Amino acid sequence: PGNCASLLVIFGASGDLAQRMLLPSLYGLQHAGLLLPELRILGTARSAMDDATFRADVADAVRRNVPATDLDEASLEALLARIAYHAADSGDPESMARLGERITSMRTGEILYHLSTAPRFYVPICVALGALGLAGPGTRVMLEKPIGTDLASATNINDGVARVFDEDRVFRVDHYLGKEGVQNLIALRFGNAMFEPLWNARHIQHVQITVAETVGVEGRGDYYDTSGAMRDMMQNHLLQLVCLTAMEPPARFEPTAVRNEKIKVLRSLRRIGPAEVQTETVTGQYTSGAVGGKVVPGYAEELGRPSRTETFVALRAHIDNWRWSGVPFYLRTGKRMPRRATEIHLQFRAVPHSIFDPRAKIAPNGLTIRLQPEERIELRLMSKTPGLDRAGLQLSQVALDLDLHEEFATSARRPAYERLYLDALEGNGTLFVRRDETEAAWEWVDAVINGWRANDIAPKPYPAGTWGPASAVAMTERHGHTWRE
Ligand code: BG6
């Protein structure tokens, strides 16, 4: 495509995300033959290093993070041949000017900047690029999360970036949108006619979205302790899943149509403020325990000091619109849970009237979309229990269970950043987050966090390897609902 970027500049190129995800994903695209022949990649960070040293680091990062079966020396060489490095400090105009010269010397067409630094550098970097005349038409910028820590700081970053890059040239990453399973949610909803008529308050009793992780904070304590589960996961990944689950059908799978529908969902979220947080939210922090048979320390021990940061949050959200009026959306996410599992579960309403013997229990239908680690779609149905019974026909719950990894056993599932890079390089923003989405999400999250503060709510302890504090279960059971485990 004509507006494909031919230069990718990665800021924060020696950082953890670059090493674990970004460079291995560029390798994946190279290996799959999906990078334009003319694409060059310029890494930049503060540490001084020559091209050869950086290339050796890239080779290490790729070898460490790409499965051996996908490693191919020729592809790696071809990737390295595209790569250069230039040290720069965004706070030092002199060094940015020299970086600008390097960028200009490598420029052959459109440029994609990828900011994978601490967010406090986003505005200074953009402003410096603007001042160097390197941010006009033909350039775009990809920003990592977190965009701010609340609405005010997010607005500041967005305003600063907007002074240099128009919104249609800003690509905010939520890596969940790059996941195969998440895109499959869109395929499932809008590639099938049978779900949409049932996908509303008339037929769905409640929705559950769980993003459970077994990992702890893994040496990221300094960042995580200023964040917590609400900002780190709920503000972005879970709310994006809510949007894709709840939105109206967009007219097309393209950036404006999809994001216009998502923002309507975010704006319809009922505010949970100081008066509601006690009953509608639960926070927790893991203590020592065992995950997968391994004994692990508690959060405060890992951090080396006591903390009031939540590593678990569960809440009961409502979307106040025609489609979802009265349907609770239970959302939960936590670290050090018993299993890694990301899933969306739609619980249908009970049959309106039972024609069977009162002893025959009819469980409501449920549709579960498991996004990771496996991808499965499970539909729970009632079926006749085979055999003879004096009491009449007996029923059992059975599952129609589709394992997508098995179904597509021969198609490779690609990591999220491969999809995201491919789209950003081509200038397709459908799977990126628009400014208004980020800000609407922060506004809603801020109200909850302010509510916790106003009520002096501290997270409840839960042992590592459990599903969070017992009150998270109580919150759903008060309404006659149960978390799926
Ligand atoms: C990141 C969070 O955005 O997502 C991490 O900062 C979290 O805390 C990660 O572990 C989860 O991503 P994934 O792809 O492993 O589900």
Side-chain angles (χ1 to χ4, degrees), residues 45-375:
R46 269 180 297 189
S47 27
M49 215 186 317
D50 59 13
D51 289 351
T53 311
F54 183 64
R55 285 192 194 119
D57 282 0
V58 174
D60 279 351
V62 169
R63 291 203 179 96
R64 263 199 321 275
N65 292 292
V66 170
T69 46
D70 289 352
L71 266 180
D72 158 56
E73 285 303 315
S75 301
L76 182 54
E77 280 309 314
L79 177 71
L80 297 180
R82 301 172 183 272
I83 291 187
Y85 180 84
H86 192 97
D89 174 353
S90 59
D92 172 5
E94 256 307 295
S95 108
M96 287 304 281
R98 284 196 298 274
L99 175 67
E101 285 162 17
R102 185 81 188 264
I103 292 172
T104 307
S105 75
M106 292 177 72
R107 181 174 197 172
T108 55
E110 301 245 344
I111 305 178
L112 171 65
Y113 299 106
H114 186 181
L115 275 44
S116 169
T117 63
R120 67 176 181 281
F121 299 121
Y122 292 175
V123 175
I125 292 171
C126 290
V127 168
L129 292 171
L132 292 167
L134 285 170
T139 65
R140 56 192 103 103
V141 66
M142 197 169 156
L143 303 175
E144 284 301 322
K145 74 167 261 266
I147 308 279
T149 54
D150 57 12
L151 177 60
S153 54
T155 308
N156 271 336
I157 293 177
N158 285 332
D159 282 346
V161 172
R163 283 199 295 276
V164 183
F165 292 95
D166 297 336
E167 177 61 24
D168 62 355
R169 293 193 284 119
V170 181
F171 293 71
R172 291 179 196 78
V173 174
D174 183 312
H175 79 284
Y176 269 53
L177 297 178
K179 288 180 187 271
E180 299 270 10
V182 175
Q183 289 159 56
N184 191 37
L185 176 60
I186 304 173
L188 185 75
R189 281 197 65 194
F190 304 120
N192 295 288
M194 60 181 288
F195 296 117
E196 207 40 34
L198 303 178
W199 210 268
N200 56 52
R202 183 120 63 100
H203 300 284
I204 292 177
Q205 186 206 44
H206 75 270
V207 177
Q208 301 182 6
I209 301 184
T210 297
V211 181
E213 299 185 273
T214 52
V215 292
V217 290
E218 316 288 301
R220 296 157 74 224
D222 285 338
Y223 151 72
Y224 194 86
D225 204 53
T226 62
S227 172
M230 193 69 187
R231 293 185 175 98
D232 185 53
M233 298 292 287
M234 188 68 77
Q235 190 272 344
N236 38 77
H237 308 322
L238 275 98
L239 288 185
Q240 285 294 324
L241 295 178
V242 169
C243 286
L244 297 179
T245 306
M247 71 183 182
E248 297 300 314
R252 279 181 217 290
F253 190 57
E254 58 93 44
T256 304
V258 170
R259 299 189 293 185
N260 282 352
E261 297 309 334
K262 290 198 293 171
I263 185 68
K264 287 183 207 161
V265 173
L266 293 168
R267 293 206 175 117
S268 308
L269 277 174
R270 187 184 302 167
R271 187 186 140 89
I272 302 176
E276 293 83 28
V277 285
Q278 306 265 21
T279 57
E280 308 300 284
T281 75
V282 171
T283 56
Q285 186 188 89
Y286 63 83
T287 55
S288 59
V291 182
K294 209 175 120 231
V295 176
V296 296
Y299 175 74
E301 291 161 69
E302 268 177 272
L303 194 66
R305 58 176 186 271
S307 160
R308 283 170 64 114
T309 299
E310 80 288 357
T311 60
F312 172 93
V313 58
L315 54 83
R316 184 167 174 267
H318 280 93
I319 299 170
D320 286 332
N321 65 17
W322 273 48
R323 186 186 283 262
W324 296 113
S325 179
V327 179
F329 278 64
Y330 295 103
L331 314 179
R332 67 174 168 172
T333 181
K335 299 227 181 259
R336 294 288 192 220
M337 305 268 102
R339 260 186 295 115
R340 176 164 187 245
T342 299
E343 66 174 42
I344 298 167
H345 174 74
L346 297 102
Q347 182 78 44
F348 288 86
R349 295 197 183 278
V351 293
H353 161 74
S354 172
I355 64 168
F356 304 105
D357 182 276
R359 280 166 295 184
K361 291 276 171 277
I362 310 183
N365 299 126
L367 175 68
T368 308
I369 304 157
R370 172 70 65 95
L371 307 171
Q372 59 182 22
E374 333 84 283
E375 281 173 58

